[in-house]
Amino acid sequence: MTAIQPKATVAVVGAGTMGQGIAQVALVAGHRVRLYDTAGGRAAEAARAIGARLDRLVEKGRLTADARDAARARLHPAARLDDLADPALVIEAILEQLDVKQKLFAELESVVPDDCLLATNTSSLSVTAVAGALRLPGRFVGLHFFNPAPLLPLVEVVRGFATDAEAAERAYATVAAWGKTPVRCADAPGFVVNRIARPFYAEAFRVHEERAADPATVDAVLRECGGFPMGPFELTDLIGQDVNEAVTRSVYESFFHDPKFRPSLAQRRLVEAGLLGRKSGRGWYDHTAGAERPRPRTEEPCEAPKALTVHGRLPRACAVLAEMIREAGIAVTEAPGPDDDGHLALPGGTELSLTQGLPATTELAGTRIHFDLALDYRTCTRIALAPSATASPSDVRAAVGLFQALGKQVSVIGDAPGLIVARTVAMLVDFAEDAVGRGVASPQDVDTAMRLGVNHPRGPLEWGRVLGAVWVGQVLRNLHFEYPDGRYAPSQPLLRRAAVEESLL
């Protein structure tokens, strides 16, 4: 399907931050752009703001002065909706209220030609529902840009239940021609990114609610061990607690209160208190001038053990640790043990093992200390440990000293099942497998969306391949045993993948 030609007009309805960004993208791609807003004078004001941003692009050498002048000449604020009579594409970026959007598009249908493509930038509403009252719902699509639209490459191209395949493909081709990276997805709650990303926030909030770790420590572990660019507490403070919580509630309600998407009570209390993050001066953290950022829990230097034993074969997610320990000058003895479920034994006999989703304190005999999953054990700079209730201070010091000898800072947290990174990543993998299994998006588009949309260090399906579906499934089964409310029950697509993987071993 051919993209909308640059000589065609694009109209943007809604002159807020997102509408301005989308208008700028279309302008730079060569289109004549009409910008409309119901608030009198706001479209003209937005046009001036876009012009100022184009000036900054020229100053940075990203746009020539001639291209800027031509783009400005193509931007036309519209005083009335009737002024949008000639576009080939209209993109709406207004209030996230279904009835308001439906009313707007019903009015647009009486203004624009029948071959005009209509698109909503909604991030949380059903594209099918927005188009439900239209005379020609087949030409209606979702084009979910990410903020700031001129900078972030991802656009989710959402096909509603009544959307014609030709309309969806034309929208996809147009977005690609604008230099963006489009991904195709079905009209499911949260689309791809907002659906699959929920555990990144929810698991961190749950660890905090259970008093296993404070926000600064959780953020540090996910950044410095898991490889995520920002932790969930600092990220939601940046997004706005009200915005993030509203998306979570919308997805939860759209899935008929599925426990997998259950919102956080702690976050709800922040919103109720007006502690919305950076924009209000305080959220999880204090952002007022001069406020000191809390530091993550980091253990003091401890002496590393001189020797330890590796029992069995370590899980492939952490197999490199045995080599790293030898490289650090610590003697390693190998002993028989379970295949691919091995552990390290400290000199006193305490078992040090990668978390499998159970707490370290169990009814089984023995003293255990669990360590967290890392994106890359060689390059990560922090590790989290969770000791069992029976672990002595000397056991904990030995475990801390071991990882410090490997060049890591160590955070000792409460005995949280699955610790922090492991439970988060396992849930991300499962959500991604479930989305693909339900036809929401292709595996390639899922991984692309999560890397570009929320800047994850790996796509969740790629992470699943690295870790193995068997390991991910085991972590989730164990978490489900600890929290038998359905939140952690592995999805059928993940279980099928694990069964295939096991049959090939």
Side-chain angles (χ1 to χ4, degrees):
M1 178 61 65
T2 305
I4 293 171
Q5 296 303 305
K7 64 181 180 181
T9 298
V10 172
V12 178
V13 179
T17 301
M18 183 58 78
Q20 291 179 32
I22 295 170
Q24 180 179 327
V25 171
L27 272 177
V28 173
H31 292 278
R32 182 169 62 252
V33 175
R34 298 195 187 281
L35 183 59
Y36 171 76
D37 197 284
T38 55
R42 191 171 185 186
E45 181 184 336
R48 289 190 291 273
I50 293 170
R53 283 198 290 273
L54 295 176
D55 287 339
R56 289 195 290 274
L57 291 178
V58 173
E59 292 168 3
K60 294 177 180 179
R62 297 177 184 173
L63 193 69
T64 66
D66 288 346
R68 173 201 60 196
D69 295 342
R72 278 179 167 168
R74 293 193 301 271
L75 180 57
H76 305 283
R80 302 176 305 155
L81 201 64
D82 289 346
D83 294 336
L84 311 183
D86 63 339
L89 167 64
V90 178
I91 304 176
E92 161 272 315
I94 64 171
L95 197 64
E96 284 286 271
Q97 290 185 5
L98 179 60
D99 58 341
V100 176
K101 291 182 187 290
Q102 288 176 325
K103 182 176 182 293
L104 167 67
F105 282 108
E107 293 172 351
L108 276 169
E109 269 204 313
S110 66
V111 174
V112 301
D114 284 356
D115 61 350
C116 175
L117 193 64
L118 299 179
T120 175
N121 183 59
T122 185
S123 61
S124 59
L125 298 177
S126 163
V127 171
T128 302
V130 177
L134 293 182
R135 177 173 54 87
L136 298 173
R139 59 170 167 172
F140 191 86
V141 299
L143 287 180
H144 180 213
F145 289 76
F146 288 74
N147 192 30
L151 297 180
L152 295 186
L154 183 71
V155 180
E156 293 176 321
V157 181
V158 187
R159 183 176 175 181
F161 187 78
T163 303
D164 293 335
E166 294 81 1
E169 288 307 304
R170 191 178 188 201
Y172 182 95
T174 299
V175 169
W178 290 357
K180 296 298 183 182
T181 303
V183 294
R184 299 176 178 88
C185 62
D187 184 21
F191 310 141
V192 177
V193 173
N194 279 331
R195 174 196 184 117
I196 296 174
R198 294 349 291 165
F200 180 70
Y201 312 107
E203 294 311 306
F205 297 161
R206 186 158 193 167
V207 168
H208 171 57
E209 288 170 345
E210 294 177 354
R211 296 291 187 265
D214 61 277
T217 300
V218 173
D219 279 352
V221 170
L222 282 163
R223 282 196 320 268
E224 301 167 30
C225 183
F228 294 92
M230 293 182 75
F233 294 95
E234 58 190 343
L235 180 56
T236 53
D237 266 4
L238 176 63
I239 294 169
Q241 298 301 332
D242 52 341
V243 174
N244 181 264
E245 201 252 357
V247 173
T248 299
R249 279 192 293 107
S250 175
V251 173
Y252 177 59
E253 289 162 7
S254 296
F255 275 109
F256 307 105
H257 295 184
D258 186 328
K260 287 180 177 290
F261 298 93
R262 185 179 296 125
S264 160
L265 180 59
Q267 188 181 37
R268 175 96 286 258
R269 292 291 181 256
L270 280 184
V271 175
E272 291 173 340
L275 305 178
L276 307 181
R278 292 190 183 185
K279 62 185 177 183
S280 69
R282 187 176 172 188
W284 296 109
Y285 299 110
D286 186 347
H287 299 278
T288 57
E292 185 176 348
R293 181 71 174 264
R295 296 180 179 180
R297 173 168 177 168
T298 304
E299 302 306 312
E300 295 295 327
C302 295
E303 184 177 351
K306 299 287 190 298
L308 51 74
T309 304
V310 176
H311 289 265
R313 187 174 62 184
L314 297 179
R316 70 186 191 190
C318 65
V320 71
L321 282 177
E323 182 181 347
M324 291 173 62
I325 292 167
R326 289 190 178 95
E327 291 170 356
I330 299 171
V332 176
T333 302
E334 296 185 0
D339 239 12
D340 206 30
D341 190 24
H343 64 272
L344 306 170
L346 296 171
T350 295
E351 179 182 312
L352 182 60
S353 59
L354 174 65
T355 178
Q356 300 284 340
L358 291 171
T361 306
T362 68
E363 294 179 0
L364 300 175
T367 301
R368 293 174 172 78
I369 300 174
H370 288 166
F371 59 85
D372 211 345
L373 176 69
L375 175 68
D376 184 333
Y377 283 98
R378 284 199 175 276
T379 60
C380 76
T381 58
R382 182 178 297 272
I383 201 77
L385 303 180
S388 67
T390 57
S392 68
S394 60
D395 292 331
V396 176
R397 286 195 299 271
V400 169
L402 171 64
F403 281 101
Q404 288 174 339
L406 303 184
K408 318 302 177 188
Q409 295 192 87
V410 180
S411 296
V412 175
I413 69 170
D415 191 10
L419 280 87
I420 298 170
V421 180
R423 70 194 287 172
T424 299
V425 169
M427 288 289 278
L428 289 170
V429 173
D430 190 57
F431 273 43
E433 288 283 2
D434 185 60
V436 171
R438 294 175 184 270
V440 175
S442 69
Q444 180 180 353
D445 279 352
V446 163
D447 276 356
T448 297
M450 298 308 292
R451 283 188 291 101
L452 298 184
V454 280
N455 206 20
H456 282 191
R458 278 187 185 134
L461 297 173
E462 179 190 1
W463 214 325
R465 290 191 296 272
V466 170
L467 298 174
V470 172
W471 184 84
V472 173
Q474 187 60 53
V475 169
L476 291 173
R477 284 192 187 94
N478 288 337
L479 283 166
H480 180 55
F481 177 80
E482 294 297 317
Y483 306 96
D485 61 355
R487 178 188 182 107
Y488 299 102
S491 67
Q492 286 301 310
L494 178 69
L495 293 176
R496 286 194 292 270
R497 187 174 295 279
V500 170
E501 192 177 284
E502 284 188 307
S503 71
L504 298 175
L505 294 178

